[in-house]
Amino acid sequence: MQQTVSVASPDPALAGAAAVALTGLAEAYRPRPVTPLMPWRYPHRLVKPYVVTSRGRSWDDEMVAAARATATRQLEFDDAMSGLGLGVVVLHLFDEGISLVVQTWSKDFRSRLSLFSGLAVDDLRPAPSGVGPTVWELEVLTHERSSYVHHILNAEVDIEGWLDDALDTRPAPKLDGIPSGT
């Protein structure tokens, strides 16, 4: 028996094909775990790195090191373009490849945002013009925007508070399983 999905749209502009596309996206969406890594400390720069993974994808220290090398080149450029020395890096492993988001804060209340993509971490290239972050990458960037405003702009420039305020959406371990006996 085939199930039909009915999408009610209060706006006629979102009827037909658009409503079907939205329904398809909603049915396919699944949250992805966000893993914060230890901050990267450079001379005159602090970076909060994250890894986002789709189901079945895993990462290792070598992948993070390769992503860090690509991000470092971008961070050095951003520093020269009025960067404040604070940044966020998101390594995202998804089914079709890998993306890397590098965001830095600048002196004029703006941020610089650079995206890289590839099939493997050692194949990262600048993403095509006009491409933006995915909804999972935006989850991290949204958290980081709030963290920056709270700890840097609305506080007494609490760098340690900013570094400690990391998003972590990994599933909590289930402690009600079979005891180990130790």
Side-chain angles (χ1 to χ4, degrees):
M1 176 180 219
Q2 184 176 1
Q3 181 181 6
T4 58
V5 177
S6 174
V7 177
S9 175
D11 190 323
L14 294 179
V20 170
L22 290 172
T23 301
L25 285 171
E27 289 175 352
Y29 173 79
R30 299 291 177 272
R32 295 183 178 173
V34 175
T35 304
L37 305 179
M38 293 300 295
W40 297 343
R41 295 175 184 267
Y42 301 84
H44 311 293
R45 183 184 317 122
L46 296 169
V47 178
K48 292 169 65 175
Y50 291 91
V51 179
V52 177
T53 52
S54 67
R55 184 184 311 239
R57 294 298 305 263
S58 60
W59 55 275
D60 58 34
D61 290 342
E62 290 178 15
M63 294 174 80
V64 172
R68 184 174 181 167
T70 298
T72 297
R73 289 189 295 276
Q74 184 62 48
L75 292 164
E76 289 169 353
F77 178 78
D78 291 353
D79 286 351
M81 301 297 293
S82 77
L84 290 173
L86 300 178
V88 177
V89 170
V90 181
L91 174 61
H92 184 182
L93 291 83
F94 51 94
D95 296 337
E96 303 83 30
I98 294 177
S99 63
L100 182 70
V101 178
V102 180
Q103 180 185 36
T104 56
W105 297 104
S106 65
K107 295 176 184 170
D108 59 358
F109 296 102
R110 294 180 187 265
S111 68
R112 292 188 53 82
L113 186 66
S114 301
L115 285 83
F116 301 84
S117 61
L119 297 176
V121 76
D122 57 354
D123 182 43
L124 290 170
R125 303 281 183 262
S129 179
V131 171
T134 66
V135 294
W136 300 280
E137 296 155 0
L138 285 170
E139 179 181 17
V140 176
L141 298 179
T142 299
H143 170 84
E144 285 302 321
R145 183 257 177 215
S146 295
S147 181
Y148 179 74
V149 169
H150 177 74
H151 295 287
I152 305 301
L153 299 181
N154 284 339
E156 296 177 8
V157 186
D158 181 6
I159 297 292
E160 289 306 315
W162 175 76
L163 286 171
D164 290 341
D165 186 5
L167 179 65
D168 187 344
T169 67
R170 294 173 292 176
K174 295 183 180 178
L175 302 175
D176 60 349
I178 299 171
S180 66
T182 59

